[in-house]
Amino acid sequence: MIINGKEIAQTIQLELAEKTKDLVAKTSVKPGLALLLVGDNSASQVYVRSKAKACEKIGFHSVILTLPEQSSESDVLAVISAWNNNNTIHGILVQLPLPKHINEVNVIMAIDPDKDVDGFHPVNVGKLVTGIGGFVPCTPAGIVELLVRNSIQTSGKHVVVVGRSNIVGKPIANLLYQKSSRGNAVVTICHTGASDIRYYTKQADILIAAIGVAHRITADDIKHGAVVIDVGINRINDSKSEKGYSIVGDVDYDSVLPYVSAITPVPGGVGPMTIAMLLTNTLTAAQNYAKSVQI
Ligand code: GUN
């Protein structure tokens, strides 16, 4: 089975558009997402624009603010403070990575946890780890949604996550071992500290590759019949492409395809789900706001 993330993300966006209409009709609250980009990283520009476009499509309003690369940390903190205090903004997203001279942790900590639709604030991380709700980072939330909507059970399965980032590796592991119908897996996290990653990946019923290295996982790294979730978005030189590059995953798709029971392609797998879950979190933030101002 080839897991079609694009189609599932479109379905979710249609569902969200209906719920948004409902929220606006009942409360006059229109979900608002503010996006901050610092510098001119071309991949980040593409991501931010596509997030804003998705907002407009489903009836949210969105703001993109681009600050120059040499902006100071206090410039960034001032923008966040203004958005924290703006009632028309329900979700705040600071596109990462930030320029090196800006402390990422300070910036994330400045976002109101109730507007932290990326789920990166330690308050939301703590809620995820303890299993008490809060905003879940979008890519991991999208992976769980892909598994659920394709009836791929996780309970009792061995999930191996390759990669330990705060954005993907750590939160997906935390979601999948939780005692819940969407989790209950046995989870192994492996990373560059492992002397033999293959020893672990070959044991995976569900393998989640979030390494950031093109085609790192090959047929020799997986157990036959495994479900393979490819989180990688890597640019490789491609003279046949008009742009001069193409986007590939962390998994050598063609080599593993004959041996998997299900796989996410790149592009069109996990990627579109990240945006769908960002919109989901933003709608939740707006609904929470509407509830909080009800008399
Ligand atoms: N950079 C790469 N992925 C993400 C993400 O999910 N959110 C933000 N804010 N930045 C990112």
Side-chain angles (χ1 to χ4, degrees):
M1 174 175 49
I2 293 164
I3 297 172
N4 191 336
K6 199 171 161 191
E7 196 175 289
I8 294 170
Q10 275 165 359
T11 304
I12 292 172
Q13 291 190 24
L14 289 176
E15 294 166 7
L16 292 172
E18 282 305 308
K19 289 180 188 163
T20 302
K21 243 194 250 165
D22 206 45
L23 179 70
V24 174
K26 287 190 179 133
T27 68
S28 300
V29 172
K30 182 173 175 159
L33 176 66
L35 302 135
L36 178 62
L37 177 63
V38 186
D40 49 16
N41 180 305
S42 61
S44 290
Q45 283 173 347
V46 173
Y47 295 143
V48 165
R49 272 193 230 119
S50 60
K51 287 168 184 176
K53 220 166 105 189
C55 282
E56 310 303 330
K57 243 171 87 182
I58 65 162
F60 293 6
H61 74 90
S62 67
V63 189
I64 299 180
L65 182 67
T66 306
L67 291 180
E69 177 85 19
Q70 62 275 18
S71 304
S72 69
E73 190 171 304
S74 58
D75 293 336
V76 172
L77 296 178
V79 170
I80 292 172
S81 171
W83 284 344
N84 281 342
N85 293 302
N86 180 337
N87 287 340
T88 69
I89 300 295
H90 310 105
I92 297 173
L93 182 145
V94 178
Q95 188 65 30
L96 304 178
L98 286 166
K100 293 231 171 343
H101 64 278
I102 299 177
N103 184 317
E104 217 161 86
V105 175
N106 291 347
V107 171
I108 290 168
M109 298 268 280
I111 298 171
D112 177 346
D114 292 335
K115 297 191 179 189
D116 170 38
V117 286
D118 255 329
F120 294 163
H121 192 289
V123 165
N124 286 313
V125 177
K127 286 182 174 178
L128 168 61
V129 173
T130 46
I132 55 171
F135 291 114
V136 173
C138 304
T139 302
I143 294 170
V144 172
E145 205 60 38
L146 277 182
L147 295 172
V148 169
R149 291 187 186 234
N150 284 282
S151 305
I152 296 169
Q153 303 294 328
T154 51
S155 184
K157 298 283 173 59
H158 186 193
V159 175
V160 177
V161 179
V162 191
R164 54 179 155 182
S165 69
N166 290 336
I167 296 182
V168 183
K170 287 179 195 165
I172 190 62
N174 276 285
L175 278 172
L176 289 177
Y177 69 64
Q178 294 292 335
K179 197 164 188 173
S180 100
S181 58
R182 296 161 75 95
N184 211 34
V186 176
V187 180
T188 299
I189 306 180
C190 63
H191 44 72
T192 47
S195 57
D196 181 10
I197 282 180
R198 181 173 295 168
Y199 169 78
Y200 301 97
T201 58
K202 276 188 93 69
Q203 298 178 47
D205 300 314
I206 301 173
L207 177 66
I208 300 178
I211 317 153
V213 179
H215 293 163
R216 172 64 181 77
I217 301 292
T218 67
D220 294 336
D221 296 313
I222 65 160
K223 177 164 88 176
H224 288 194
V227 172
V228 175
I229 305 294
D230 190 351
V231 186
I233 302 178
N234 308 293
R235 281 188 186 191
I236 58 164
N237 292 334
D238 181 357
S239 54
K240 280 185 254 136
S241 155
E242 232 175 73
K243 293 177 189 153
Y245 66 87
S246 53
I247 302 291
V248 300
D250 291 348
V251 176
D252 186 358
Y253 185 86
D254 294 334
S255 107
V256 307
L257 191 59
Y259 307 108
V260 299
S261 59
I263 187 167
T264 59
V266 177
V270 173
M273 294 299 291
T274 298
I275 293 187
M277 302 322 288
L278 172 67
L279 300 171
T280 303
N281 283 349
T282 305
L283 178 61
T284 301
Q287 287 167 331
N288 291 344
Y289 168 74
K291 254 185 235 152
S292 77
V293 293
Q294 250 173 18
I295 301 158

PDB file of all heavy atoms in Angstrom, residues 93-96 118 120, ligand 1:
ATOM      1  N   LEU A  93       3.526  30.896  14.595  1.00  0.00           N
ATOM      2  CA  LEU A  93       4.549  29.954  14.121  1.00  0.00           C
ATOM      3  C   LEU A  93       5.803  30.720  13.727  1.00  0.00           C
ATOM      4  O   LEU A  93       5.730  31.639  12.905  1.00  0.00           O
ATOM      5  CB  LEU A  93       4.004  29.166  12.911  1.00  0.00           C
ATOM      6  CG  LEU A  93       4.942  28.105  12.339  1.00  0.00           C
ATOM      7  CD1 LEU A  93       4.138  26.908  11.833  1.00  0.00           C
ATOM      8  CD2 LEU A  93       5.813  28.637  11.211  1.00  0.00           C
ATOM      9  N   VAL A  94       6.898  30.374  14.352  1.00  0.00           N
ATOM     10  CA  VAL A  94       8.194  30.948  13.962  1.00  0.00           C
ATOM     11  C   VAL A  94       8.909  29.873  13.158  1.00  0.00           C
ATOM     12  O   VAL A  94       9.222  28.797  13.687  1.00  0.00           O
ATOM     13  CB  VAL A  94       9.028  31.341  15.197  1.00  0.00           C
ATOM     14  CG1 VAL A  94      10.384  31.896  14.773  1.00  0.00           C
ATOM     15  CG2 VAL A  94       8.270  32.345  16.069  1.00  0.00           C
ATOM     16  N   GLN A  95       9.128  30.144  11.885  1.00  0.00           N
ATOM     17  CA  GLN A  95       9.746  29.123  11.034  1.00  0.00           C
ATOM     18  C   GLN A  95      11.186  28.868  11.475  1.00  0.00           C
ATOM     19  O   GLN A  95      11.976  29.808  11.650  1.00  0.00           O
ATOM     20  CB  GLN A  95       9.684  29.559   9.553  1.00  0.00           C
ATOM     21  CG  GLN A  95      10.121  28.496   8.564  1.00  0.00           C
ATOM     22  CD  GLN A  95       9.199  27.271   8.532  1.00  0.00           C
ATOM     23  OE1 GLN A  95       8.005  27.349   8.783  1.00  0.00           O
ATOM     24  NE2 GLN A  95       9.757  26.110   8.231  1.00  0.00           N
ATOM     25  N   LEU A  96      11.519  27.621  11.666  1.00  0.00           N
ATOM     26  CA  LEU A  96      12.877  27.210  12.047  1.00  0.00           C
ATOM     27  C   LEU A  96      13.576  26.635  10.819  1.00  0.00           C
ATOM     28  O   LEU A  96      12.892  26.128   9.922  1.00  0.00           O
ATOM     29  CB  LEU A  96      12.806  26.167  13.162  1.00  0.00           C
ATOM     30  CG  LEU A  96      12.046  26.583  14.427  1.00  0.00           C
ATOM     31  CD1 LEU A  96      12.014  25.436  15.432  1.00  0.00           C
ATOM     32  CD2 LEU A  96      12.666  27.829  15.063  1.00  0.00           C
ATOM     33  N   ASP A 118       2.723  25.037  16.943  1.00  0.00           N
ATOM     34  CA  ASP A 118       3.799  24.111  16.570  1.00  0.00           C
ATOM     35  C   ASP A 118       4.017  23.058  17.662  1.00  0.00           C
ATOM     36  O   ASP A 118       4.679  22.047  17.425  1.00  0.00           O
ATOM     37  CB  ASP A 118       5.117  24.885  16.407  1.00  0.00           C
ATOM     38  CG  ASP A 118       5.518  25.077  14.953  1.00  0.00           C
ATOM     39  OD1 ASP A 118       5.184  24.205  14.127  1.00  0.00           O
ATOM     40  OD2 ASP A 118       6.182  26.088  14.663  1.00  0.00           O
ATOM     41  N   PHE A 120       5.931  23.396  20.304  1.00  0.00           N
ATOM     42  CA  PHE A 120       7.355  23.354  20.667  1.00  0.00           C
ATOM     43  C   PHE A 120       7.628  23.916  22.063  1.00  0.00           C
ATOM     44  O   PHE A 120       8.704  23.722  22.617  1.00  0.00           O
ATOM     45  CB  PHE A 120       8.204  24.151  19.659  1.00  0.00           C
ATOM     46  CG  PHE A 120       8.234  23.573  18.260  1.00  0.00           C
ATOM     47  CD1 PHE A 120       8.658  24.352  17.185  1.00  0.00           C
ATOM     48  CD2 PHE A 120       7.870  22.254  18.016  1.00  0.00           C
ATOM     49  CE1 PHE A 120       8.706  23.831  15.897  1.00  0.00           C
ATOM     50  CE2 PHE A 120       7.915  21.724  16.723  1.00  0.00           C
ATOM     51  CZ  PHE A 120       8.336  22.515  15.664  1.00  0.00           C
TER      52      PHE A 120
HETATM   53  N1  GUN B   1      11.079  23.826  10.297  1.00  0.00           N
HETATM   54  C1  GUN B   1      10.950  22.549   9.864  1.00  0.00           C
HETATM   55  N2  GUN B   1       9.788  22.004  10.298  1.00  0.00           N
HETATM   56  C2  GUN B   1       9.174  22.964  11.016  1.00  0.00           C
HETATM   57  C3  GUN B   1       7.937  22.998  11.720  1.00  0.00           C
HETATM   58  O1  GUN B   1       7.158  22.030  11.791  1.00  0.00           O
HETATM   59  N3  GUN B   1       7.651  24.183  12.330  1.00  0.00           N
HETATM   60  C4  GUN B   1       8.491  25.250  12.294  1.00  0.00           C
HETATM   61  N4  GUN B   1       8.120  26.343  12.943  1.00  0.00           N
HETATM   62  N5  GUN B   1       9.640  25.231  11.653  1.00  0.00           N
HETATM   63  C5  GUN B   1       9.974  24.094  11.022  1.00  0.00           C
END
